Amino acid sequence: MAELAHDLAQNGSRPATPDVNAAIGALWERFKGIAFERLATIDTAVTAQHANQLDDDLRRRAEREAHKLAGSVGSFGFAEGSRIAREIELLLQSPLGPAETGRVESLAAQLREVLQKPGSQAADPGPAEALSAAARPARDMRPLLLMALADGQRACQIADEAEARRLRHRAVGDATDARAALGEDPPDVVLLDLLLDGQIDHGLALLDEVVRRIPRALPVVVAANITAEQRLDALRRGARVVFTSAASPVHIVEKAAELLASPDAAPCRVLLVDDDADTLARTAEQLRAPRTEVITLDDPQRFWETLERTRPDAVLVDEAMPAPSGLELCGAIRGDPRWANLPVLVLAAAGDCDTVTRAFAAGADDLVVLPSAGPELRARLDRSLERRRMQRTIAEQDPLTGLANRQRSLASLDGLIAAAERQRQALSVAIVDVDGMHDVLTQFGESVADAMLQRVGRALAALVGHDEVAGRWDGDAFVLALAGCDADDAVARLRRVLDRLAAAPVVAADGTILVPSFCAAVATHPMDGQDAHALICAAEQGVRATKGEGRGEVTAVGWSKRGDGPTELVDIALVEDDVALAGLLGHTLETRGHSTRVICDGAQAVEALCGPTPRLRARVIVLDVDLPGRDGFDVLRALARDGVTERSRVVMLTVRATEPEVVRALEMGAFDHIAKPFSVQILMQRLRRALGE
């Protein structure tokens, strides 16, 4: 039986979009033999009781088999079968009299009849499974990439790259579905095939609709055999980038991530100050554009109060206002260190030499003579914003890799720590030290060494989302900050980067193939440090220890290798002795891309998951209460004692979902509690929540 569970967990088919009903039906065909074996044990107990030969050992074995049936057959779609098995279990908990023996015999026959009929995937999960508001998965706040592509295979390839960039993604295959998707979950980036419905005019019309309905969305267009005129037309209509159909999925997703990270992807806020109400309204209308918020102020006396409250990206002031005048405000802005780099445009009625000289002497970025045509005013504002952005980029970006420099990384890390504390979420900080750079520099020269660092930098940039940090820390070292990510997840993600680097070597001038690799250590907030300095120091110490173990090593602060091998990392550990149920859960999770391991005994679970150097670490532990060896509460107690519940979320499973038991589990450190039998769909919702997806 254990081999069957392992076979299903490891070798189940993995369709891109699994049909849940069909998959569970196929699994039932493989598992129903186990169910009928359990029924046979119950029949044997009834026969023994009729012959007055039923001992406590056989009765307890029959009770145990009934318990397993109650927990598993409901998840295969047999809700009535689960109820019958539960009644048999209760009857077998005490010695059987004639009436009880007859009842068990009758119920076993009913159960056999139920299990011989096709199961329904819409098994009623019962009131214990009703999702409360607290139990529903939190909304995923990652940026959404909507792919409106006729080529489904290409959409799958782009989706894989989006996952690597931690972008949500959704694919639709025609214009009707695309229009519906725009209203259901507004995307941040729209990848639109202009020939989605076979005609480029229809694609351009859909592009117009995207720009009109979701002004903040970033449209990226792809089209086969597009002409120069059509490309220009798409850009005029609002497309940020136009790709040909030959563009690689990697290039497309990199550009989407770049657009999301660019300063103008976020809304731009402009403060417009003019004491003339008519001019104020007319100029504000000229400035309005997608992703631009215009704040108007007609009282210059309230300027500083409004500036502090709105914190704009640029300020436009009228030169001729009464005290304070626009030029006085401009000079005061430049004299305040907090606002010294804020773009300021002066609006003037005349562009004579004296006015221009005084405006620039006050520190203005530009002077615009009113009345000005709207496009000119907007172009001057955009130019000032872009100039400031370029200055900020130069000051904050590492010139070799394009990643954030040390100063910018530290500032961003401080912000992420504050957000993690507010939201009570995990945050991991990693120091990544590229292997063998001194030897590469000595043997192959600076250009090859730079190519190695650039290759690693690009791989790390692809790892982080828009709300995370990838920066060059010092020389051969990089720093990462991964939001909502515990040590297990961070280590797993970095190991995947190592795998990707192994497939992307650098070739030296003499033909030598060099495979980039690195040693890395992960420190997690708040366990390994409360602030940026403490976290980075802990990670640096971890790297120094890790480098002694060889190339391509990734670990977490406080971890060490066991004598019999390294710690294994999985998404979900299933601590469940019912092989039918474990096989069903394992197969369902594996088809959705989650790595799993099944442990069938409570004592084995404690041995594998607990201690200073555990053999297995899991992001989520699904723990059955009724286990041989040590029951689930005993295991949960051991997990809490060793701090496992602080880094892994424990989801308890039980047939007896009484309120005291639920409260007990949560008080002991469990993250959630699910009653058997459960529907697979509801279980997956709860596990996605536990995984933080």
Side-chain angles (χ1 to χ4, degrees), residues 533-577:
H533 176 73
L535 288 168
I536 288 172
C537 285
E540 287 179 327
Q541 291 175 4
V543 167
R544 286 193 288 272
T546 300
K547 286 180 74 68
E549 299 183 4
R551 294 166 58 89
E553 291 288 337
V554 182
T555 187
V557 172
W559 290 17
S560 61
K561 285 192 172 184
R562 296 174 59 94
D564 56 351
T567 298
E568 180 184 8
L569 303 175
V570 296
D571 293 326
I572 299 174
L574 298 170
V575 186
E576 170 64 71
D577 67 315

Side-chain angles (χ1 to χ4, degrees), residues 33-50:
I34 297 174
F36 285 112
E37 286 178 18
R38 290 174 176 158
L39 260 176
T41 302
I42 297 171
D43 291 338
T44 300
V46 170
T47 301
Q49 178 63 15
H50 282 313

Side-chain angles (χ1 to χ4, degrees), residues 19-354:
D19 185 307
V20 175
N21 290 359
I24 294 177
L27 284 169
W28 171 246
E29 289 302 313
R30 300 184 66 178
F31 278 127
K32 66 181 181 182
I34 297 174
F36 285 112
E37 286 178 18
R38 290 174 176 158
L39 260 176
T41 302
I42 297 171
D43 291 338
T44 300
V46 170
T47 301
Q49 178 63 15
H50 282 313
N52 294 319
Q53 295 177 351
L54 179 63
D55 58 23
D56 283 344
D57 180 62
L58 178 56
R59 178 178 58 79
R60 282 193 292 269
R61 280 198 291 119
E63 176 199 347
R64 184 72 188 169
E65 298 297 347
H67 174 82
K68 291 180 179 179
L69 285 168
S72 60
V73 298
S75 296
F76 281 102
F78 299 98
E80 177 64 11
S82 179
R83 185 196 65 75
I84 295 170
R86 175 62 176 151
E87 186 175 345
I88 294 173
E89 178 193 4
L90 293 174
L91 288 168
L92 288 168
Q93 288 176 353
S94 304
L96 299 178
E100 290 81 6
T101 303
R103 180 61 177 162
V104 170
E105 186 173 21
S106 173
L107 289 170
Q110 292 178 39
L111 181 54
R112 177 172 279 100
E113 183 178 350
V114 167
L115 297 183
Q116 287 172 340
K117 296 177 181 179
S120 167
Q121 292 305 327
D124 181 6
E129 283 301 310
L131 283 174
S132 66
R136 294 189 184 106
R139 184 177 182 271
D140 191 340
M141 299 304 293
R142 294 177 299 163
L144 174 62
L145 169 64
L146 175 63
M147 298 174 285
L149 302 172
D151 186 340
Q153 182 177 0
R154 186 168 175 78
C156 289
Q157 293 170 341
I158 295 171
D160 288 342
E161 292 299 327
E163 282 291 340
R165 285 277 189 168
R166 299 196 74 215
L167 299 177
R168 289 189 298 143
H169 50 84
R170 179 178 179 182
V172 293
D174 58 52
T176 301
D177 288 346
R179 289 184 170 91
L182 293 175
E184 292 168 4
D185 189 0
D188 299 278
V189 180
V190 179
L191 178 60
L192 173 61
D193 183 355
L194 289 184
L195 293 173
L196 185 63
D197 284 349
Q199 298 185 43
I200 200 164
D201 289 345
H202 293 180
L204 290 170
L206 182 56
L207 173 61
D208 290 340
E209 190 169 341
V210 169
V211 173
R212 184 181 71 255
R213 290 177 59 182
I214 311 178
R216 69 174 179 82
L218 302 165
V220 176
V221 164
V222 60
N225 302 320
I226 190 170
T227 66
E229 184 178 349
Q230 290 167 337
R231 177 188 292 270
L232 183 59
D233 192 13
L235 291 169
R236 285 170 176 160
R237 293 170 185 254
R240 304 301 295 272
V241 184
V242 179
F243 287 112
T244 66
S245 57
S248 71
V250 173
H251 192 191
I252 290 172
V253 175
E254 281 183 349
K255 178 55 68 173
E258 181 183 315
L259 289 172
L260 286 167
S262 65
D264 60 348
C268 171
R269 179 175 290 175
V270 177
L271 175 59
L272 174 62
V273 188
D274 196 319
D275 63 328
D276 185 313
D278 291 339
T279 304
L280 187 69
R282 182 172 61 253
T283 308
E285 188 60 34
Q286 291 176 322
L287 289 170
R288 297 191 197 283
R291 293 184 293 279
T292 299
E293 178 186 1
V294 180
I295 300 164
T296 57
L297 177 65
D298 60 5
D299 181 2
Q301 297 288 341
R302 294 171 45 222
F303 174 76
W304 290 105
E305 165 200 338
T306 307
L307 183 69
E308 294 282 358
R309 177 173 52 82
T310 60
R311 307 189 70 81
D313 300 292
V315 171
L316 286 80
V317 293
D318 177 32
E319 175 263 341
M321 293 185 299
S325 70
L327 296 184
E328 289 172 333
L329 288 178
C330 182
I333 291 171
R334 292 290 175 254
D336 189 327
R338 296 173 302 163
W339 305 103
N341 292 319
L342 184 67
V344 179
L345 280 71
V346 171
L347 308 178
D352 58 274
C353 182
D354 180 59

Side-chain angles (χ1 to χ4, degrees), residues 217-550:
L218 302 165
V220 176
V221 164
V222 60
N225 302 320
I226 190 170
T227 66
E229 184 178 349
Q230 290 167 337
R231 177 188 292 270
L232 183 59
D233 192 13
L235 291 169
R236 285 170 176 160
R237 293 170 185 254
R240 304 301 295 272
V241 184
V242 179
F243 287 112
T244 66
S245 57
S248 71
V250 173
H251 192 191
I252 290 172
V253 175
E254 281 183 349
K255 178 55 68 173
E258 181 183 315
L259 289 172
L260 286 167
S262 65
D264 60 348
C268 171
R269 179 175 290 175
V270 177
L271 175 59
L272 174 62
V273 188
D274 196 319
D275 63 328
D276 185 313
D278 291 339
T279 304
L280 187 69
R282 182 172 61 253
T283 308
E285 188 60 34
Q286 291 176 322
L287 289 170
R288 297 191 197 283
R291 293 184 293 279
T292 299
E293 178 186 1
V294 180
I295 300 164
T296 57
L297 177 65
D298 60 5
D299 181 2
Q301 297 288 341
R302 294 171 45 222
F303 174 76
W304 290 105
E305 165 200 338
T306 307
L307 183 69
E308 294 282 358
R309 177 173 52 82
T310 60
R311 307 189 70 81
D313 300 292
V315 171
L316 286 80
V317 293
D318 177 32
E319 175 263 341
M321 293 185 299
S325 70
L327 296 184
E328 289 172 333
L329 288 178
C330 182
I333 291 171
R334 292 290 175 254
D336 189 327
R338 296 173 302 163
W339 305 103
N341 292 319
L342 184 67
V344 179
L345 280 71
V346 171
L347 308 178
D352 58 274
C353 182
D354 180 59
T355 302
V356 172
T357 301
R358 288 188 296 111
F360 285 111
D365 288 86
D366 201 353
L367 181 138
V368 182
V369 178
L370 297 180
S372 170
E376 178 192 353
L377 178 61
R378 182 71 212 194
R380 287 176 176 270
L381 172 62
D382 289 343
R383 186 178 62 182
S384 295
L385 288 168
E386 184 60 28
R387 187 162 53 244
R388 292 295 181 183
R389 287 169 189 151
M390 290 177 62
Q391 293 171 350
R392 187 164 59 244
T393 296
I394 292 171
E396 298 177 350
Q397 189 177 75
D398 172 55
L400 176 64
T401 64
L403 299 180
N405 61 17
R406 185 184 184 114
Q407 181 180 1
R408 179 58 187 168
S409 297
L410 274 173
S412 299
L413 180 53
D414 287 335
L416 286 175
I417 290 172
E421 290 174 346
R422 286 195 308 272
Q423 300 166 11
R424 297 183 179 181
Q425 288 187 339
L427 173 70
S428 289
V429 175
I431 292 294
V432 175
D433 194 289
V434 183
D435 291 327
M437 288 304 301
H438 176 74
D439 293 340
V440 171
L441 182 61
T442 302
Q443 187 173 352
F444 299 101
E446 187 174 355
S447 62
V448 175
D450 286 350
M452 293 277 281
L453 291 173
Q454 289 170 336
R455 186 68 51 86
V456 174
R458 284 197 298 271
L460 295 175
L463 172 69
V464 301
H466 77 293
D467 57 346
E468 298 177 320
V469 174
R472 190 174 180 192
W473 186 243
D474 185 21
D476 305 341
F478 296 84
V479 63
L480 294 176
L482 306 175
C485 186
D486 62 16
D488 295 352
D489 192 20
V491 170
R493 288 169 66 182
L494 280 166
R495 287 178 177 169
R496 286 195 290 270
V497 173
L498 280 174
D499 292 339
R500 294 180 71 128
L501 284 173
V506 173
V507 181
D510 64 359
T512 302
I513 296 176
L514 303 170
V515 178
S517 67
F518 55 75
C519 290
V522 175
T524 305
H525 176 274
M527 287 79 76
D528 302 318
Q530 298 284 337
D531 57 28
H533 176 73
L535 288 168
I536 288 172
C537 285
E540 287 179 327
Q541 291 175 4
V543 167
R544 286 193 288 272
T546 300
K547 286 180 74 68
E549 299 183 4

